[in-house]
Amino acid sequence: MNPNSCGHYDPSAKDMQQLCISLVPIFNHLQPEEMKEIAATTKSARYERNGQIYGAGDRSAHLYIVHRGRVKLYRLSESGKEQLIRILEPGDFMGELALFSETVLDCYAVAMEKTELCTIQRSDLQEILMKYPAISLKIMEEFSRRLEQTEKQVSSLTSADAEGRIAAYLVQLAKKVDAHVHTITLPMTKKDLASYLGTTPETLSRKLAEFQERGFIEQTRQRDIRVLNIEALSAMRTK
Amino acid sequence: MNPNSCGHYDPSAKDMQQLCISLVPIFNHLQPEEMKEIAATTKSARYERNGQIYGAGDRSAHLYIVHRGRVKLYRLSESGKEQLIRILEPGDFMGELALFSETVLDCYAVAMEKTELCTIQRSDLQEILMKYPAISLKIMEEFSRRLEQTEKQVSSLTSADAEGRIAAYLVQLAKKVDAHVHTITLPMTKKDLASYLGTTPETLSRKLAEFQERGFIEQTRQRDIRVLNIEALSAMRTK
DNA sequence: TTGTTACCTTGATCTGCATCAATAAATGAA
DNA sequence: TTCATTTATTGATGCAGATCAAGGTAACAA
């Protein structure tokens, strides 16, 4: 699917496009002229909240790089249930499968808020990669990070129960923020989080209530949680 | 871990090493001289059945390419249970995480049979990739394939029950072999397969027995299964 | 060959959590 | 602001499958 058919292409914002290139990790190590050259091959696209970037069944041959905003990637199961794959933040990219194999996309990409993407066409990117091999190294770095992350997700699904997975997720989030504050904000709805963790909203809700009961956490607002006892949560992975 | 400390390094088999390079998909598209150049930087290592190639906690900076034999990659859960990540066959590679990030390995690699690997050092590979950018494209292709595969595994763990996952696995195997024969051989023990599918050997055994009861399959020898009704199995994914 | 070990199978039990249902609360649009 | 829709919570119920146990079988080493 051409991004222009959903989003808005703004041909006048050349500087902004270059900015996009200079912001994302896979390109921001290049020389200014190199960036300029690449920027010339990219297009920019904007999406409103809930705007669909692509859907299952599309045949895209683009690499999408998130410049601003957030994108939700999900699959639909047989029964129509939404399974969250991951959330992309600025600097992340998607669509790479279509770049290397001639496959049909099997998941949906939707903007979670006002979002701006850079897109690069398959053929253009391949030329760029042949010319600037260092970019490939960056992309592979990102690939391996994501592969590691996804493999760990498989591990946690097979080796921990729902309670353990939820606890581990909170610990992981808490460790990212300031070590003393430990107030975290869930990056998505609890419904989506439940899907991501391989459980249901009901179970997630119950487990969080139980953690609070036991004094491990305190739920302040809708998606804000203060972690009070990170050790107890850490000790929770079972099996 | 240096492969030479576990396996046997055979410095006289230069031709064999070159052969190794010429056999794996990420290198076999190169010109003969290019292959020769790369072969000069690789080492060969042999492992006996059950020989450990590396273990969790090791700090490897090698890319391992399977030349002959099969390698089992697994993680140990908190409780010491083995979780199978994947099985590598000739042409597959592993250890790529260590090539791009300075992380400690968190899984085990063990030869399932007499196995021969090529190893390339991190620094050597990075030089090669900068010199021959086409290799990076091949590696990224493989990365994206694996990422897709792993993401699908996550999907199946969250969206299908054990019965559905087992059925889907059989279908997938059956589709790989000759369409008319439909006799498949499990590539691993049922214990490992259960781990891979996120269930227990007991459940796997029971479900296979049930499938046989219902006439969908026929279990011949230990790991041989004749698929009699692939449609019924396909229709089994639930949720 | 024999012994040893690991693997597989079947039975009985028990529990974690999905599911269905019914409010309540929050969010975004108008 | 108000209304409509999505999201979150809490209760009651049922079942798939994990776990424990024990006997049978295949694989491998000596």
Side-chain angles (χ1 to χ4, degrees):
Chain A
M1 173 177 289
N2 189 317
N4 298 334
S5 63
C6 316
H8 172 62
Y9 172 47
D10 180 358
S12 71
K14 274 289 165 200
D15 2 320
M16 188 280 299
Q17 286 179 39
Q18 191 179 342
L19 195 67
C20 165
I21 294 297
S22 68
L23 279 181
V24 305
I26 59 175
F27 291 121
N28 69 5
H29 55 99
L30 296 170
Q31 299 302 314
E33 319 86 66
E34 296 173 344
M35 285 202 228
K36 209 169 281 179
E37 184 190 341
I38 293 168
T41 71
T42 67
K43 286 189 175 181
S44 177
R46 291 180 190 180
Y47 298 86
E48 293 303 316
R49 181 188 160 81
N50 291 327
Q52 175 165 304
I53 298 158
Y54 60 72
D58 291 351
R59 301 191 137 276
S60 164
H62 293 266
L63 183 76
Y64 300 85
I65 303 166
V66 178
H67 182 191
R68 267 210 289 271
R70 298 198 308 151
V71 174
K72 179 161 94 171
L73 233 61
Y74 64 91
R75 213 184 290 270
L76 284 186
S77 74
E78 310 269 324
S79 60
K81 225 171 90 180
E82 205 174 276
Q83 307 164 50
L84 195 141
I85 298 173
R86 68 176 192 279
I87 286 175
L88 287 85
E89 315 223 312
D92 294 336
F93 58 87
M94 61 187 182
E96 68 288 338
L97 279 174
L99 291 180
F100 303 108
S101 46
E102 268 300 351
T103 51
V104 172
L105 292 169
D106 61 347
C107 60
Y108 296 83
V110 168
M112 297 175 75
E113 53 200 70
K114 215 168 172 22
T115 292
E116 214 169 282
L117 304 176
C118 289
T119 68
I120 306 182
Q121 227 167 2
R122 175 192 188 131
S123 50
D124 289 336
L125 184 73
Q126 297 213 343
E127 275 174 35
I128 290 170
L129 295 181
M130 290 299 283
K131 195 163 173 190
Y132 304 109
I135 300 175
S136 293
L137 290 182
K138 287 280 178 183
I139 294 181
M140 285 189 266
E141 195 180 318
E142 174 62 24
F143 262 135
S144 69
R145 212 195 322 274
R146 229 156 71 195
L147 195 56
E148 186 185 20
Q149 160 88 10
T150 310
E151 273 176 0
K152 280 192 176 156
Q153 206 182 339
V154 170
S155 288
S156 86
L157 283 168
T158 59
S159 79
D161 53 22
E163 181 172 281
R165 296 198 299 273
I166 294 167
Y169 182 84
L170 293 179
V171 170
Q172 186 201 321
L173 258 194
K175 282 188 173 162
K176 268 201 246 173
V177 301
D178 181 26
H180 283 276
V181 180
H182 275 176
T183 294
I184 58 185
T185 300
L186 302 179
M188 53 188 131
T189 65
K190 288 181 180 169
K191 179 171 164 280
D192 282 342
L193 181 57
S195 157
Y196 181 73
L197 295 175
T199 182
T200 58
E202 294 93 327
T203 296
L204 177 59
S205 191
R206 273 185 258 268
K207 288 302 174 186
L208 289 178
E210 188 193 320
F211 290 167
Q212 176 156 325
E213 192 84 14
R214 298 221 249 162
F216 300 163
I217 65 170
E218 186 179 353
Q219 302 191 68
T220 52
R221 277 208 323 285
Q222 185 79 273
R223 291 191 209 165
D224 288 358
I225 292 173
R226 180 174 310 144
V227 176
L228 303 172
N229 189 343
I230 199 169
E231 292 77 21
L233 289 176
S234 299
M236 202 137 246
R237 350 165 209 228
T238 47
K239 276 196 192 173
Chain B
M1 174 176 290
N2 189 318
N4 298 335
S5 62
C6 315
H8 173 62
Y9 172 49
D10 180 357
S12 70
K14 274 290 165 199
D15 2 320
M16 188 279 300
Q17 287 179 36
Q18 192 179 341
L19 195 66
C20 165
I21 294 298
S22 69
L23 279 182
V24 304
I26 60 175
F27 292 120
N28 69 5
H29 54 100
L30 296 170
Q31 299 302 315
E33 320 87 64
E34 296 172 343
M35 285 202 227
K36 209 168 280 178
E37 184 189 341
I38 293 168
T41 71
T42 66
K43 286 189 174 181
S44 177
R46 290 182 189 179
Y47 298 86
E48 292 303 317
R49 180 187 161 82
N50 292 326
Q52 175 166 305
I53 299 159
Y54 60 72
D58 289 354
R59 301 191 138 277
S60 164
H62 293 266
L63 183 77
Y64 300 86
I65 302 166
V66 178
H67 182 192
R68 266 211 289 272
R70 298 198 308 150
V71 174
K72 179 162 93 170
L73 233 60
Y74 65 91
R75 212 184 291 272
L76 284 187
S77 73
E78 310 270 325
S79 59
K81 224 171 91 181
E82 206 175 274
Q83 306 163 51
L84 196 141
I85 297 174
R86 68 176 191 279
I87 286 175
L88 286 85
E89 315 223 311
D92 294 335
F93 58 87
M94 61 186 181
E96 68 289 338
L97 279 176
L99 291 180
F100 302 108
S101 47
E102 268 300 351
T103 51
V104 172
L105 292 169
D106 61 348
C107 61
Y108 297 82
V110 168
M112 297 175 73
E113 52 200 70
K114 216 167 168 26
T115 292
E116 214 169 281
L117 305 177
C118 290
T119 67
I120 306 182
Q121 227 166 1
R122 174 193 189 131
S123 50
D124 289 336
L125 184 72
Q126 296 214 342
E127 275 173 36
I128 289 170
L129 294 181
M130 290 299 282
K131 194 164 174 189
Y132 303 110
I135 300 175
S136 293
L137 291 182
K138 287 280 179 184
I139 294 181
M140 285 189 268
E141 196 180 319
E142 174 62 24
F143 263 134
S144 68
R145 212 195 323 274
R146 229 155 71 195
L147 196 55
E148 186 184 19
Q149 159 88 9
T150 310
E151 274 177 0
K152 280 192 176 154
Q153 205 183 340
V154 171
S155 288
S156 86
L157 283 168
T158 59
S159 79
D161 53 23
E163 180 172 282
R165 297 198 299 272
I166 294 166
Y169 182 84
L170 293 179
V171 170
Q172 187 201 321
L173 258 193
K175 282 188 173 162
K176 269 201 246 173
V177 301
D178 180 26
H180 284 276
V181 180
H182 275 177
T183 293
I184 59 186
T185 300
L186 302 180
M188 53 188 132
T189 65
K190 288 182 180 167
K191 180 172 164 280
D192 282 342
L193 181 57
S195 156
Y196 182 73
L197 295 176
T199 182
T200 58
E202 292 95 328
T203 296
L204 176 59
S205 190
R206 272 185 259 268
K207 289 300 174 187
L208 288 178
E210 188 194 321
F211 290 166
Q212 176 156 325
E213 192 84 12
R214 300 220 248 161
F216 300 161
I217 65 169
E218 187 179 353
Q219 302 191 67
T220 52
R221 277 209 321 286
Q222 185 79 274
R223 290 189 210 167
D224 288 357
I225 293 174
R226 181 173 310 144
V227 176
L228 303 172
N229 189 343
I230 197 168
E231 292 77 20
L233 289 177
S234 299
M236 202 137 247
R237 356 167 205 223
T238 47
K239 277 197 192 176

